């Protein structure tokens, strides 16, 4: 028998004390609360050998009706739409997946096919629930992807709100999963995960303002064009994210509503499935036969979201860090615009006074005008000395 659920007491609006308990998640248990003269007791029931005939008939009739209505096959694919890698690690809450692409594209297609002006669509990774999907696709299959019954909306937002939303969704990339990670349609962007997330939030985990430091989301493009922070865009999504500010997306508060509560999430998917060409009475989803020009061949998506795990340095770009200890192994880089050194221990770059001459040089030509030099530091700085460079 599992550990009994905790009993908590809370004050209702009328001031009376209310006893609260819960049974966990995913219908893993049934809760039973016993109220006797000796007090209140709660327990979890996870197994039961008996069966009630009347209840079983109701259950079976309900399942049969659902299977009949949702079991209709509407499409087929030889591809595999998934959100997990080959080792069983979930991806959709921390990087792009082809199911995430498909789900976001379904939202974009819905409004575009209604002849509404739509620039982009977003889909929270926590709302994409399926494991591998291949072969026949039914309404029930679509329901396995979107299980919550959220409804499609279209709102008008600024470029700044889009950037803040992408930044908020990317705040945990590189360290943890996030249900608010945004899969996208009509958008491409980079997440520079080496930049610490400094996005601001309240004590309930709700967005309050953009980062206090550098944005880790960069190079955002809408329809292939750079994001304009002052421009307005029409964005599709679900009420959970856009209207209810679920997952903490409070930057959308006050956004202009274009069209609300249009279609339930799994039906948005089914609607998109039906846009694919028919073959043998089923709509066949191939790698690249979407009306939107998408490619769903790879589980990891088609490259709309690029994660950059470490900083790259362009030629002639120097970054001044704190200090270097004597004895460190460094590289001196001199493209003719002053000297810089890279500490191979921490991989940071430091400016170097030209008055300090390197010793024990081992040169190699990088390009015609670039020379990289490896040098041991003991003759540049004494071993016990630290110096700001």
């Amino acid at each position: 028998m599992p550990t009994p659920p905790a009993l908590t007491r809370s004050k209702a609006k009328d001031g009376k004390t209310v006893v609260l308990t819960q049974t966990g998640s995913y219908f893993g248990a049934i809760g039973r609360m016993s109220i006797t003269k000796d007090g209140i007791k709660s327990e979890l029931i996870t197994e039961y050998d008996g069966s009630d005939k009347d209840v079983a008939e109701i259950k079976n009739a309900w399942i049969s009706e659902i299977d009949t209505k949702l079991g209709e096959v509407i499409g087929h694919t030889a591809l595999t739409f998934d959100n997990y890698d080959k080792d069983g690690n979930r991806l959709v809450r921390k990087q792009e997946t082809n199911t995430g692409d498909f789900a976001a594209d379904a939202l974009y297609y819905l409004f575009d096919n209604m002849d509404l002006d739509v620039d982009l669509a977003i889909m929270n990774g926590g709302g994409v629930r399926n494991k591998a999907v291949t072969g026949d696709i039914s309404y029930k299959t679509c329901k396995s992807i979107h299980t919550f019954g959220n409804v499609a909306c279209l709102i008008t937002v600024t470029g700044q709100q889009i950037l803040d939303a992408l930044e908020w969704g990317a705040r945990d990339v590189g360290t943890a999963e996030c249900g608010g990670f945004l899969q996208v349609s009509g958008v491409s962007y980079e997440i520079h995960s080496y930049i610490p997330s400094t996005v601001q939030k309240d004590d309930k985990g709700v967005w309050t303002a953009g980062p206090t430091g550098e944005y880790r989301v960069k190079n955002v493009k809408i329809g292939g064009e750079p994001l304009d922070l002052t421009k307005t865009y029409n964005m599709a999504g679900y009420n959970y994210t856009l209207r209810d500010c679920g997952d903490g997306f409070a930057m959308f508060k006050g956004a202009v509503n274009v069209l609300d509560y249009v279609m339930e999430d799994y039906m948005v998917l089914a609607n998109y499935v039906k846009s694919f060409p028919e073959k043998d009475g089923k709509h066949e989803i191939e790698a690249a036969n979407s009306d939107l020009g998408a490619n769903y061949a790879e589980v990891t998506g088609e490259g709309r979201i690029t994660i950059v795990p470490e900083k790259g340095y362009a030629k002639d770009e120097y970054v001044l860090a704190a200090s270097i200890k004597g004895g460190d192994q460094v590289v001196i880089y001199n493209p003719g615009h002053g000297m810089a050194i890279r500490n191979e221990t921490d991989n940071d770059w430091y400016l170097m006074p030209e008055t300090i001459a390197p010793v024990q040089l081992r040169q190699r030509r990088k390009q015609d005008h670039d020379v990289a030099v490896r040098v041991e530091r003991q003759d540049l700085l004494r071993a016990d000395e630290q110096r700001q460079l």
Side-chain angles (χ1 to χ4, degrees):
M1 181 70 68
T3 303
L7 291 172
T8 59
R9 288 169 170 79
S10 180
K11 290 289 186 181
K13 287 184 178 180
D14 60 5
K16 295 181 179 178
T17 299
V18 178
V19 178
L20 303 174
T21 188
Q22 62 177 4
T23 60
S25 59
Y26 300 106
F27 299 105
I30 295 173
R32 179 164 61 191
M33 179 184 288
S34 303
I35 304 174
T36 68
K37 63 180 181 179
D38 298 321
I40 301 174
K41 181 180 73 171
S42 64
E43 59 184 313
L44 295 179
I45 301 171
T46 57
E47 295 181 0
Y48 179 64
D49 294 331
S51 176
D52 183 282
K53 181 175 179 295
D54 294 335
V55 173
E57 287 179 356
I58 294 172
K59 181 199 74 171
N60 293 336
W62 180 74
I63 291 175
S64 177
E65 181 182 5
I66 294 297
D67 284 343
T68 299
K69 290 181 177 180
L70 298 185
E72 178 186 349
V73 174
I74 55 175
H76 179 273
T77 185
L79 305 173
T80 297
F81 286 89
D82 209 342
N83 298 300
Y84 293 78
D85 65 18
K86 57 183 174 54
D87 297 319
N89 299 306
R90 183 164 55 189
L91 305 176
V92 72
R93 300 184 183 201
K94 57 186 178 181
Q95 68 174 69
E96 181 183 354
T97 69
N98 62 351
T99 314
D101 287 349
F102 191 89
D105 285 347
L107 277 162
Y108 187 100
Y109 175 82
L110 172 68
F111 292 102
D112 186 56
N113 196 49
M114 294 170 67
D115 291 327
L116 290 171
D117 182 17
V118 55
D119 298 297
L120 69 153
I122 60 172
M123 177 69 223
N124 64 305
V128 184
R129 313 291 287 190
N130 62 292
K131 292 190 176 180
V133 169
T134 190
D136 285 344
I137 299 172
S138 65
Y139 291 103
K140 195 173 180 180
T141 308
C142 296
K143 194 70 174 172
S144 74
I145 298 173
H146 290 333
T147 61
F148 293 111
N150 291 310
V151 289
C153 305
L154 185 68
I155 63 174
T156 300
V157 293
T158 65
Q160 184 64 58
Q161 287 174 300
I162 292 171
L163 178 61
D164 283 333
L166 296 175
E167 181 77 12
W168 178 248
R171 65 192 183 276
D172 293 323
V173 171
T175 58
E177 288 188 329
C178 176
F181 180 87
L182 292 179
Q183 308 286 334
V184 293
S185 179
V187 186
S188 64
Y189 67 102
E190 297 174 357
I191 303 170
H192 292 242
S193 57
Y194 60 87
I195 299 174
S197 175
T198 57
V199 68
Q200 300 172 74
K201 59 186 177 180
D202 62 19
D203 57 357
K204 295 182 179 178
V206 175
W207 179 92
T208 57
T212 57
E214 185 178 0
Y215 276 83
R216 59 191 349 219
V217 168
K218 300 179 182 296
N219 299 322
V220 182
K221 293 184 178 180
I222 309 293
E225 296 295 324
L227 178 71
D228 184 338
L229 298 182
T230 63
K231 183 180 175 181
T232 58
Y233 299 85
N234 280 353
M235 182 170 68
Y238 288 109
N239 63 306
Y240 174 75
T241 305
L242 304 191
R243 306 286 284 153
D244 303 335
C245 299
D247 285 324
F249 282 93
M251 71 289 297
F252 295 137
K253 282 184 178 178
V256 177
N257 181 44
V258 178
L259 195 60
D260 212 350
Y261 296 90
V262 178
M263 185 181 291
E264 193 173 338
D265 49 15
Y266 81 98
M267 289 299 293
V268 173
L269 291 175
N271 177 67
Y272 185 44
V273 169
K274 292 178 181 179
S275 73
F276 287 79
E278 276 197 74
K279 180 180 179 182
D280 299 327
K282 303 173 185 177
H283 296 274
E284 188 70 25
I285 302 172
E286 298 177 354
N289 68 337
S290 165
D291 285 346
L292 299 180
N295 191 308
Y296 303 117
E298 301 296 328
V299 168
T300 51
E302 64 173 354
R304 303 174 188 185
I305 305 170
T306 302
I307 297 175
V308 182
E310 59 184 26
K311 183 174 177 62
Y313 292 92
K315 185 174 75 68
D316 299 350
E317 180 182 2
Y318 304 136
V319 178
L320 179 61
S323 62
I324 289 183
K325 296 184 178 68
D328 281 352
Q329 296 291 314
V330 299
V331 170
I332 296 178
Y333 179 65
N334 183 8
H337 302 284
M339 283 191 172
I341 54 179
R342 179 169 65 82
N343 182 355
E344 295 191 335
T345 302
D346 60 18
N347 209 34
D348 270 332
W349 286 80
Y350 301 79
L351 293 181
M352 176 179 174
E354 294 186 47
T355 55
I356 300 180
V359 296
Q360 300 178 5
L361 305 184
R362 298 200 299 275
Q363 295 190 5
R364 64 182 187 278
R365 300 293 296 179
K366 293 180 69 177
Q367 295 178 7
D368 289 342
H369 58 287
D370 294 347
V371 178
V373 180
R374 186 182 181 89
V375 58
E376 292 188 5
R377 290 282 297 166
Q378 69 268 18
D379 287 346
L380 300 182
L381 295 176
R382 296 195 306 274
D384 60 348
E385 178 183 10
Q386 291 190 25
R387 179 175 177 179
Q388 184 78 21
L389 296 180

